[in-house]
Amino acid sequence: MTQTNTPGSKSAGVDAGGHSKARKDLPVLILGALGVVYGDIGTSPIYAFREAMHIRPGAASSVTEILGLLSLIVWALTLTVSLKYVFFVTRADNNGEGGTLSLVALARKTFTNPPVWITVLGVLGAALFYGDAIITPAVSVLSAVEGIELVAPSLTRWVVPITLVIIVGIFLVQRLGTAKVSIVFGPVTALWFLVLGFSGLVHVIGNPAVLWAFNPLLGLQFLTTHFGIAFVVIGAIFLAVTGAEALYVDLGHFGRRPIVLAWFGLVFPCLLLNYFGQGAFVLQVGVENVESPFFEMQPEWALLPFVGLATLATIIASQAVISGTYSLTQQAIALNILPRMVVTHTSETQSGQIYMPQINTMLMIGVLVLVLMFRSSSALSAAYGIAVSGVMIVTLSLLLVVMWRNWKWHPAAVIAFGVVFAIIDGGFFAANAAKLFQGGWVPAVVAVVVAVIMWSWMAGRKRLAEKTRRDEVPLQFLVDNLAKKKPTLVPGTAVFLTSDIEGAPTALLHSLKHYKVLHEQNVILTVRTSPSPRVPDDEKVTIDAYNELFSRVVVTFGYMESPNIPKALVLARKLGWKFDIMSTSFFLSRRSLKAGPKPGNPLRFWQDRLFTRLAKNASDATEYFHIPTGRVVEIGTQVVL
C-alpha cells in the first residue's frame, strides 16, 4: 500500500537536495494551522468576556472587577493553553499524531498488560469529544449571527432561522472534501485574528491602564471577594480556552512547530489584545451600557462587515470540529471501539481527508436540535463547558502516565505537575458541572450514550470472539489433516479473512462442508491494527507458509490508515507471493447475531441486544476493506450470544 505522510509526521521526509521539506513549507503549514487548529478558540472572544461580565448585575461594575475578570482570562489562556498544551501536551506525540486515542496508544505501549483504566479513559475522552462536537457549531454560529441584532434590531427574529440555514449548509458541503471546503480557511482566519488584535489595540491605547490585568493577584482577588459566584465566573472564563484541545488533536496534520509558532506569533497576542480591548471599552462606557462588548466596541461603519467576518470565522471553527470528529471516529473504528462505518476519501493524495456520511448526518441533526432548543448563544454557553473540561482532565491523566513511563520523569515532578493542573482543570470541570441543569446535561447525555455504545461494542466483540474460539477448529490441526487427505483441488487462490490468528476461519470450514473442494492456493488473512498511526510498507505484510496448500498472511495497518486489502497484498509480491486479483476469491464469514435469553442478568440482556443492533448496522466488510465485490463469497452463520 502506498503510504501518504501528513505534513506533521516524523517521516515527512527530506527532498532531493537534502533540505527539510517542513522548513520550506513552514509558512503554508502555519497558515493551515491558523485555519484548522485555532478556528474554535479564535471565536471565543465573541462570547467569553460577555458571559463572565454578565454573571450577575453589578458583578463587574468597578474597575477592579473588570481587571479581575480580564486577569482570570489572561492566566487561563497562559496556563492552560500556552503552558499545558503548547509546551507539554503537544510533545506527547505518537509518531507525529495527537488526540485522545493517540495518547491512549502511547500510554499503553509502556505496559506488558495495559490496565483497563487506560482504555476506560480513552473511551471517556472520545465520548466527551462527541458531546463537544455538537455544541461547538451551534454556539459558534449562533453567537456570530446574533451580531445582526445590533446592525438591524428588526431582524432579531431571523437570527435562529439564519443560523439553521448556515448550519445545514456547513454539513451539506462536507461531501466535497476538506481541501475544497477549507481552501480559504487559513487566509480568512489570519485576517480574523489581525482584525481581533487591531480592534482591541485601538481601545487599549485609549485606556492602557487595562494592562494591569496581567497581574494574577487581581484574578485571585476577584475570586476571593466574589466567593458566592466564583464557580459560575470560572465556568464563564473557561469559554476563553475552549478549543485548546485542537492543538493536540490536529498535531499530525501540521506538526508541532507550525502550531507553536502560530500560537505565539499571532493567535495568543491577538486574543489578549481583543480581551483587553473589550475590557477597556466596558470601562469607558460603563458596564450597565454594554450588552455585547465584542460587537459594540466596533465603529458603526465596520459593524456589518465585522458580523460577516465573524460568521465566516465561526463556520471555520465548526468545520474544524466536524473534521476532527471524522478522524476520531476513524481511529475508534480501527481500534475496535466502534463498529465499521462508511469512510469516503475525498483526496487522492492526503489519506487524512475523509468524509463519513453517517457521522455527518448525526452531527447535523444534533446541532440543529440544540439551536432550536436553546435559541441563543448565552443559553448554549451553559452547555458548552462540561464536555471540553472533561476531555482536558482525561488528557491530563494520560499525559501524567506518559511523563512517568515514557519520558521517565521523576515521580515527584510528575506529582507536582499533576497537582497544579489538576487544581486548574478540576476547578474548570467543577464550575461547569455546576451548570448541569442549565444545559450542561446535553453534552453529558451525549457522552454517556456514546460511551455506552463504545463499551457495549467492545464487550460484545470480546464475548463473540470467545464464543467463536470455542466453536472453531484449531487452524494447525485442520491444515495438517487436509495435507494428509486432500479434497478435490480447483485452480485459483482463495483468501479467507479471519480475526483469530489461531483458529480456522469459519468461512473455510463451511466452504469445505458444503462445496467439498479446496483451491490450489489458500491464504489465511488476518488484518491487525498497530498502536502506531501508520505502518511503513516494508513492515505492513508478513507471510508464513504452512505447506504447499496453505499460507498465513498478516496485514498490519496503522490506526490512522484506511485498510485497503488489495493494495496491501500487492506488497506481498515483493515477498514472493504471486498475487492476481482476477483469479482470487475472497471468502468472508457473515455472522447473523441473535441475543439469547439472560435470566437474572438484565445488564447483559440489553447490552447483547445493543451489540446485535450495532453489528447489523455496521458497514459491510467488503466495502470497508476495499475488496472488489465481484471477487467476494460470503458464507453466513448464525451465532447466539
Side-chain angles (χ1 to χ4, degrees):
M1 172 182 265
T2 301
Q3 183 180 352
T4 303
N5 294 318
T6 57
S9 65
K10 290 185 177 180
S11 54
V14 177
D15 63 15
H19 300 290
S20 171
K21 291 182 179 179
R23 182 176 301 173
K24 291 182 178 180
D25 296 338
L26 188 59
V28 176
L29 293 174
I30 291 175
L31 196 62
L34 285 174
V36 176
V37 177
Y38 296 112
D40 190 2
I41 200 170
T43 58
S44 296
I46 299 176
Y47 45 80
F49 183 66
R50 178 195 70 192
E51 294 304 314
M53 189 180 67
H54 290 159
I55 292 299
R56 188 188 70 181
S61 58
S62 70
V63 173
T64 303
E65 290 172 325
I66 290 292
L67 294 179
L69 289 174
L70 288 175
S71 178
L72 290 172
I73 290 176
V74 169
W75 286 99
L77 286 169
T78 302
L79 294 176
T80 300
V81 185
S82 297
L83 185 58
K84 177 185 173 184
Y85 277 91
V86 174
F87 279 128
F88 291 103
V89 176
T90 56
R91 296 179 186 273
D93 68 293
N94 186 15
N95 292 334
E97 295 293 338
T100 302
L101 295 181
S102 292
L103 199 55
V104 169
L106 199 63
R108 286 171 60 91
K109 285 181 181 179
T110 62
F111 293 91
T112 305
N113 295 308
V116 176
W117 60 265
I118 292 182
T119 303
V120 172
L121 283 176
V123 169
L124 180 61
L128 287 168
F129 185 85
Y130 284 98
D132 176 36
I134 68 168
I135 295 180
T136 294
V139 71
S140 297
V141 177
L142 196 52
S143 64
V145 177
E146 284 171 346
I148 294 176
E149 298 175 353
L150 300 177
V151 179
S154 60
L155 297 178
T156 298
R157 62 192 179 94
W158 291 99
V159 168
V160 171
I162 291 173
T163 300
L164 295 176
V165 170
I166 292 174
I167 288 172
V168 170
I170 291 172
F171 284 98
L172 288 181
V173 299
Q174 294 302 313
R175 65 182 69 248
L176 299 177
T178 306
K180 294 180 180 178
V181 173
S182 63
I183 192 169
V184 295
F185 279 12
V188 170
T189 309
L191 176 62
W192 169 252
F193 280 114
L194 290 173
V195 171
L196 285 183
F198 180 76
S199 64
L201 180 62
V202 170
H203 292 280
V204 171
I205 292 174
N207 189 357
V210 77
L211 296 176
W212 280 107
F214 274 118
N215 183 354
L217 296 179
L218 292 176
L220 295 175
Q221 179 184 350
F222 181 95
L223 294 178
T224 55
T225 56
H226 296 76
F227 190 76
I229 60 170
F231 256 6
V232 187
V233 170
I234 291 173
I237 296 298
F238 180 73
L239 295 174
V241 299
T242 54
E245 192 72 20
L247 276 76
Y248 187 49
V249 172
D250 293 309
L251 186 65
H253 294 287
F254 304 100
R256 183 173 183 272
R257 190 182 179 199
I259 289 175
V260 172
L261 291 177
W263 173 254
F264 286 109
L266 183 65
V267 179
F268 191 35
C270 290
L271 287 176
L272 292 182
L273 282 173
N274 192 266
Y275 283 119
F276 282 134
Q278 291 187 51
F281 174 75
V282 170
L283 291 177
Q284 178 185 352
V285 302
V287 66
E288 66 280 356
N289 299 318
V290 180
E291 181 65 29
S292 180
F294 180 80
F295 288 110
E296 292 177 33
M297 74 177 185
Q298 311 305 324
E300 187 174 348
W301 61 267
L303 190 55
L304 184 58
F306 199 81
V307 171
L309 182 60
T311 303
L312 286 176
T314 55
I315 290 173
I316 292 171
S318 302
Q319 175 63 45
V321 74
I322 293 169
S323 300
T325 307
Y326 297 157
S327 298
L328 177 70
T329 304
Q330 184 186 34
Q331 293 180 41
I333 292 171
L335 296 172
N336 295 319
I337 296 176
L338 284 175
R340 292 188 301 267
M341 300 182 200
V342 176
V343 179
T344 303
H345 288 263
T346 58
S347 172
E348 295 181 358
T349 58
Q350 295 296 323
S351 61
Q353 294 184 11
I354 60 175
Y355 167 67
M356 304 187 71
Q358 293 164 291
I359 295 298
N360 193 67
T361 301
M362 288 187 286
L363 280 181
M364 181 176 70
I365 293 172
V367 174
L368 293 176
V369 169
L370 281 185
V371 172
L372 290 171
M373 282 177 57
F374 290 88
R375 307 187 73 82
S376 75
S377 60
S378 292
L380 261 172
S381 65
Y384 201 9
I386 290 182
V388 186
S389 57
V391 173
M392 288 184 173
I393 290 178
V394 170
T395 298
L396 175 63
S397 302
L398 294 172
L399 178 65
L400 294 177
V401 176
V402 172
M403 286 177 166
W404 170 41
R405 297 185 65 89
N406 294 63
W407 298 350
K408 306 301 181 183
W409 278 28
H410 192 279
V414 175
I415 292 172
F417 183 92
V419 168
V420 171
F421 283 98
I423 293 173
I424 296 173
D425 292 347
F428 281 141
F429 182 79
N432 285 291
K435 299 184 291 185
L436 183 65
F437 298 105
Q438 298 172 276
W441 58 270
V442 173
V445 168
V446 172
V448 168
V449 170
V450 174
V452 168
I453 290 174
M454 289 178 168
W455 202 254
S456 297
W457 179 254
M458 290 189 293
R461 277 184 55 85
K462 182 179 179 181
R463 285 197 292 271
L464 178 61
E466 291 173 350
K467 184 174 181 61
T468 303
R469 193 174 294 114
R470 288 196 300 267
D471 297 338
E472 284 182 345
V473 177
L475 179 59
Q476 188 65 56
F477 174 81
L478 180 66
V479 168
D480 292 341
N481 276 272
L482 290 174
K484 297 175 183 176
K485 187 178 180 181
K486 296 179 182 178
T488 302
L489 298 181
V490 295
T493 301
V495 177
F496 297 93
L497 271 72
T498 179
S499 58
D500 185 2
I501 201 167
E502 300 294 337
T506 304
L508 172 59
L509 295 174
H510 282 264
S511 177
L512 288 170
K513 177 180 178 181
H514 295 289
Y515 302 140
K516 307 292 193 298
V517 297
L518 195 66
H519 284 73
E520 292 176 340
Q521 284 188 314
N522 299 276
V523 176
I524 311 301
L525 176 64
T526 300
V527 178
R528 289 181 165 179
T529 301
S530 168
S532 300
R534 290 172 179 81
V535 176
D537 285 353
D538 57 356
E539 299 176 13
K540 197 171 249 89
V541 180
T542 59
I543 300 178
D544 295 306
Y546 288 101
N547 52 39
E548 69 276 6
L549 288 177
F550 284 93
S551 299
R552 156 74 67 191
V553 175
V554 178
V555 180
T556 306
F557 295 100
Y559 63 80
M560 288 292 291
E561 294 181 289
S562 176
N564 189 314
I565 287 179
K567 286 187 177 181
L569 292 183
V570 171
L571 298 173
R573 291 175 178 169
K574 299 178 181 179
L575 301 178
W577 180 31
K578 304 300 182 182
F579 173 72
D580 181 9
I581 189 69
M582 299 312 296
S583 63
T584 300
S585 297
F586 293 86
F587 287 81
L588 278 69
S589 175
R590 178 178 286 274
R591 293 185 178 94
S592 176
L593 304 181
K594 184 178 179 181
K598 300 291 186 301
N601 194 339
L603 179 63
R604 277 285 305 277
F605 178 82
W606 67 258
Q607 193 175 54
D608 283 350
R609 274 153 181 76
L610 176 58
F611 174 70
T612 302
R613 180 59 58 89
L614 291 171
K616 287 180 179 178
N617 292 323
S619 296
D620 186 69
T622 302
E623 182 179 8
Y624 182 72
F625 290 114
H626 298 84
I627 304 172
T629 54
R631 310 305 309 170
V632 174
V633 178
E634 291 188 346
I635 299 177
T637 58
Q638 187 177 79
V639 179
V640 179
L641 295 174

